[in-house]
């Protein structure tokens, strides 16, 4: 599958104050993340709250400019350009909470049509016609064009946000926890809609989620993040069925599966993702396999037994 989107060494650093004594530190919220996305493919980015996945979503969608790195879309680097004619509008984002993303004072029809008003020379009737055509496909019903966001359910509002994101016919959609605020039955409907739209519009998704059950449903590839870095990457099948990294294993262990009785083989994951990563392996404060090497040296991603990248010194020991 030919790559449509390549993210190379993407980083986002923030300068933060160091205690009362002054001075400043650099917080690496995102630190050298890379991946390649094929046409029609879904990459799921997983990890706990604070692992850096939402920062990644904002950098990839150019909501917030990266500190460094490259975003190649159709061969052009769109990361640092301010050229309005660049293909950056071919990357769109859908947020977790559509109510916050949509203007309460704007009708849903106007919201859906707005990207056309900003980026095209189409007349108002033409924009309305296209928005209503998208509503027929995605929802809500086109006769609800003049209603306001608060008049819809959470699932319907997420449909409105998705319709709006598709108006400029993007190549890549970043979906940041798009179903996690919805009821289970509605989650399934939105996931199925996203998969149908992916096929219909040849979309590629960067799908951010903390829910491995959802990821199992939709992803081709999976990237596991911890403290701003990718600690394991590969196909969804290999990462989810035979995880290598101790963090991936702990995440999976903590995820209930309806098709299998809960059987704890390793100690549960305790503690939280550190806001400032410690030296060495960032996971060493929570890892059952930690030793002095882990505390001193940061592990780089490596291939182990022919498998793709996992950043751990002791893959042999972990087994
Ligand atoms: Fe655990 Fe060490 Fe591997 Fe980090 S490098 S995940 S601390 S075994």
């Amino acid at each position: 599958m030919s790559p449509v989107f390549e993210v190379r060494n993407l980083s986002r650093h923030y300068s933060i104050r160091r205690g009362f004594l002054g001075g400043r530190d650099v917080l690496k919220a995102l630190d050298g993340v890379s991946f390649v996305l094929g046409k029609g493919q879904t990459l799921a980015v997983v990890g706990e709250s604070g692992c850096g996945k939402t920062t990644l979503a904002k950098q990839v969608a150019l909501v917030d400019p990266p500190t460094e790195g490259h975003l190649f879309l159709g061969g052009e680097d769109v990361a640092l350009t301010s050229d309005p004619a660049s293909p950056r509008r071919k990357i769109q984002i859908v947020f977790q909470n559509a109510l916050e993303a949509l203007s309460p004072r704007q009708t849903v029809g106007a919201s859906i049509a707005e990207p056309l008003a900003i980026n095209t020379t189409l007349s108002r009737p033409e924009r309305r016609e296209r928005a209503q055509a998208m509503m027929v496909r995605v929802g809500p019903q086109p006769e609800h064009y003049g209603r306001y966001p608060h008049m819809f359910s959470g699932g319907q509002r997420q449909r409105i946000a998705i319709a709006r994101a598709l108006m400029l016919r993007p190549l890549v959609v970043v979906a940041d926890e798009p179903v996690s605020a919805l009821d289970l039955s509605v989650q399934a409907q939105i996931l199925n809609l996203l998969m149908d739209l992916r096929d219909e519009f040849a979309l590629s998704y960067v799908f951010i989620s903390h829910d491995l059950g959802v990821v199992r449903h939709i992803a081709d590839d999976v990237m596991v993040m911890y403290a701003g870095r990718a600690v394991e990457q590969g196909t969804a099948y290999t990462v989810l069925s035979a995880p290598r990294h101790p963090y991936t294993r702990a995440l999976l262990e903590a995820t209930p599966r309806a098709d299998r009785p809960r059987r704890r083989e390793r100690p549960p994951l305790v503690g939280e993702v550190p806001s400032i990563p410690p030296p060495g392996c960032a996971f060493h404060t929570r890892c059952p396999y930690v030793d002095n090497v882990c505390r001193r040296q940061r592990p780089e991603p490596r291939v182990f037994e022919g498998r793709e990248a996992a950043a751990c010194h002791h893959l042999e020991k972990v087994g």
Side-chain angles (χ1 to χ4, degrees), residues 245-246 281 283-284 287 289 294 299 312-314:
H245 196 281
C281 172
F283 188 55
H284 85 245
C287 181
Y289 304 96
C294 308
C312 172
H313 291 303
H314 299 307

Side-chain angles (χ1 to χ4, degrees), residues 5 7 35 37 43 45 53-63 71 90-96 161-162 165-166 170-178 194 203-208:
F5 188 47
V7 170
F35 62 84
L37 198 54
L43 168 74
V45 181
K53 55 190 191 305
T54 292
T55 305
L56 175 68
K58 288 183 178 167
Q59 311 302 302
V60 167
L62 294 162
V63 172
L71 298 169
K90 293 291 179 185
I91 308 171
Q92 294 290 322
I93 186 165
V94 175
F95 292 103
Q96 175 181 352
I162 293 167
L166 297 189
L171 297 171
V172 177
V173 173
V174 180
D176 186 7
E177 301 270 11
L194 286 170
L203 300 169
S204 303
Y205 289 141
V206 179
F207 190 91
I208 311 289

Side-chain angles (χ1 to χ4, degrees), residues 1-5 35-44 171-174 194-195 198-199 201-207 218-222 234-236 308:
M1 191 172 291
S2 60
V4 68
F5 188 47
F35 62 84
V36 173
L37 198 54
K39 190 171 186 174
Q41 252 193 330
T42 299
L43 168 74
L171 297 171
V172 177
V173 173
V174 180
L194 286 170
M195 288 191 288
R198 177 182 61 189
D199 298 341
F201 292 96
L203 300 169
S204 303
Y205 289 141
V206 179
F207 190 91
I218 197 168
D220 299 298
D221 289 343
V222 169
T235 66
E308 293 159 64

